Amino acid sequence: MSVATHPFVQRAWPVAMLVVAMCSIQSGAAVAKTLFPQIGATGTTSIRLILAAGLLLLIMRPWRRRISRRAWKSTLIYGVSLGVMNLMFYQALARIPLGIAVALEFTGPLAVAMLSSRRWLDLVWVAFAVSGLILLLLLGDDHSGPVDPVGAAFALGAGVCWALYILFGQKAGAINGAQSATLGITIAAVVIAPIGLIEVGPAIFAPEILPFALAVAVLSTALPYTLEMIALPRLPTQTFGTLMSLEPAVGALSGLLFLSQQLSVLQWLAIALVIVASIGTTLTARAQEPFEAPLPD
């Protein structure tokens, strides 16, 4: 029995780690939203990045390895895009449900995957993605109505930053290895934290805020990045891309469970269309067209 199950365990545990990482990120986003009434989306982004950078600097200690001058350009763009992505996503989360925000943001890595191909089949997946966006942005129902346009714009902007994060994160990772995440988050904190300090002030360091902010930093950054770094080398690219395609559904379920955010039937359908487009793009990609979307936020 143990001999028979051993290969299954070898295949299953990296998948389980990536699923836990996705759930951790979305539950962290739900906890983050509870801080918005006290310090706002910008303040929450700032304190989350400050604490996450501090944790990873202590754990990874990137100063032990010299960074070449050639690597700094990609690393800087990667870090800035990471910080702006976090800020825009939290601004979106303050205005629209978590599942919808994740689905709209996911158009960034989805576009990266689609633009890398030149086949007619990919037009099918483009049609699914566009249909999902139309349902999310233009239509609603009697209960929820259309999505808030400002929140949708922030989520789509976060998607653009996610695309840059992927493109330049891959370049930085090829040079800097595992310390890329630490460097990127530190740069993001340096860029975004002053904005939060100007807007909110020292309230972001209030004792009643810090425990929740630390939970957000661990759930949304330290834990999932650690799990991803362990799981990703042990997963085929196709499996990784397919699992990542489920991120909008995980976000919607987290919003339902932790924030009591009810979505309409049309909104669930729209999220499903985005997921189908992402899974289709992943499963039909050629070997030289990998879909490598790092965990967001």
Side-chain angles (χ1 to χ4, degrees), residues 38-39 43 47 193 196-210:
Q38 286 79 36
I39 56 175
I47 189 61
L197 288 171
I198 292 171
E199 182 176 312
V200 182
I204 64 173
F205 299 108
E208 63 271 19
I209 295 294
L210 286 178

Side-chain angles (χ1 to χ4, degrees), residues 2-275:
S2 60
V3 175
T5 58
H6 181 68
F8 172 78
V9 174
Q10 289 284 82
R11 293 192 301 269
W13 75 265
V15 172
M17 293 180 76
L18 192 58
V19 171
V20 171
M22 285 191 292
C23 294
S24 178
I25 286 176
Q26 299 309 325
S27 59
V31 175
K33 187 156 185 172
T34 65
L35 294 177
F36 291 176
Q38 286 79 36
I39 56 175
T42 304
T44 303
T45 307
S46 299
I47 189 61
R48 173 255 177 110
L49 288 173
I50 290 170
L51 293 176
L55 285 172
L56 288 177
L57 285 171
L58 287 173
I59 295 170
M60 302 299 294
R61 294 179 288 177
W63 55 82
R64 296 180 299 174
R65 179 178 173 183
R66 182 178 175 272
I67 306 299
S68 67
R69 184 176 300 178
R70 181 172 64 92
W72 274 114
K73 179 181 178 181
S74 296
T75 304
L76 284 171
I77 298 175
Y78 164 66
V80 172
S81 62
L82 173 61
V84 177
M85 176 181 71
N86 276 266
L87 180 60
M88 285 192 165
F89 180 76
Y90 278 9
Q91 292 290 345
L93 194 58
R95 296 167 171 84
I96 60 178
L98 176 58
I100 295 176
V102 175
L104 292 175
E105 184 193 30
F106 204 77
T107 56
L110 183 56
V112 171
M114 288 179 174
L115 291 175
S116 67
S117 179
R118 298 291 186 273
R119 294 172 301 151
W120 285 103
L121 179 60
D122 292 291
L123 293 178
V124 175
W125 312 128
V126 171
F128 274 101
V130 170
S131 299
L133 289 177
I134 290 174
L135 285 175
L136 284 176
L137 298 176
L138 301 182
L139 301 178
D141 63 6
D142 295 336
H143 302 289
S144 60
V147 171
D148 178 84
V150 176
F154 274 122
L156 291 172
V160 173
C161 292
W162 194 358
L164 294 173
Y165 167 88
I166 293 169
L167 296 174
F168 288 95
Q170 288 176 337
K171 294 179 181 179
I175 302 171
N176 302 328
Q179 66 178 340
S180 296
T182 303
L183 294 171
I185 292 171
T186 302
I187 292 169
V190 171
V191 172
I192 301 299
I195 301 175
L197 288 171
I198 292 171
E199 182 176 312
V200 182
I204 64 173
F205 299 108
E208 63 271 19
I209 295 294
L210 286 178
F212 296 96
L214 184 60
V216 173
V218 172
L219 288 171
S220 295
T221 304
L223 177 60
Y225 276 121
T226 301
L227 292 176
E228 184 193 29
M229 282 192 290
I230 297 172
L232 186 53
R234 296 165 174 81
L235 284 174
T237 299
Q238 191 177 76
T239 303
F240 176 69
T242 303
L243 288 170
M244 284 297 299
S245 302
L246 301 177
E247 187 94 35
V250 176
L253 290 173
S254 295
L256 178 64
L257 292 174
F258 299 115
L259 301 172
S260 300
Q261 293 177 338
Q262 301 285 342
L263 299 182
S264 70
V265 174
L266 283 177
Q267 288 168 338
W268 278 107
L269 176 61
I271 291 172
L273 288 171
V274 173
I275 292 172

